[in-house]
Amino acid sequence: MSFENQVVLITGASAGIGSACVEYFAKQGALLALVGRNEKKFGKIVRKIKGYGITNEPLVIIADVSVDSERIISETIEQYGRLNILINNAGFSIPGSIETLKMDDYDAMMATNVRAVVELTQQAIVHLVETKGNIVNVSSVAGITSNPNILAYSMSKAALDQFTKCAAMELAPKEVRVNAVVPSFIDTDFYAGHGLERGGDEYSALVEANINAHPLERIGYTKDCVNAIAFLAKDSSNFITAVLLPVDGGISSKGAF
């Protein structure tokens, strides 16, 4: 197994892309440190991976990435003694345009979607240098396309993309790679923050619209993102850094006509 006994730290691990990463890396024999705020959800995830016969008990860290970066890294190192892969997945969106955006919402999104990634990376560097490890950030096509009513979220992901490339250049001499996946519409509970519950009529309409909008004529699923994250994290990708890998069915390259 390509990730056997590698220590993988995953933020936002209790739902969506994060929990799908947990299942994948657990099956690959990784030693997991899982970060999130929902202890109840983690209980379900741990029971699920144990059901696969996986004996490596993951380290669950109940924390807010925007304020607990030092503790997250220290508890991971205390448990495992090293860190091989950091997956910065935690993030969220609150709708708002330039006219309606509340600055408290702006600050919260920037704190989680950008500042937390910077701080966790800073805390992790010394350990990743020791293992020649790597970082995979989870961005969004919102950072490279322009859409109404998600101003701060789009700004945060554009900042994350630039951080990914700059950090990759700075850490390359230390043999630490930094890349990002750039998903479009992925079928998760992410859109609940916009009042769109999965299975509801509005969500179904959004799914249909995205099927029509994507050149591949389907929406994305968590497995699509996990496969891309795993590809970038593998040792076999050790000549790949500073890449923003679209996982978007071609939508970010789609022209206006």
Side-chain angles (χ1 to χ4, degrees), residues 23 28 43 49 54 57 74-75 95 109-110 112 114 140 159-160 172 189-190 205 227 233 238:
E23 287 191 52
Q28 291 290 315
I49 63 176
I54 295 165
E57 181 83 18
S74 65
E75 288 189 18
M109 279 183 274
M110 288 297 178
T112 296
V114 185
S140 168
L160 178 60
D189 291 326
F190 177 85
N227 288 338
N238 61 16

Side-chain angles (χ1 to χ4, degrees), residues 128-141:
L128 292 170
V129 168
E130 290 180 0
T131 61
K132 308 302 181 189
N134 71 87
I135 300 166
V136 183
N137 297 322
V138 178
S139 187
S140 168
V141 293

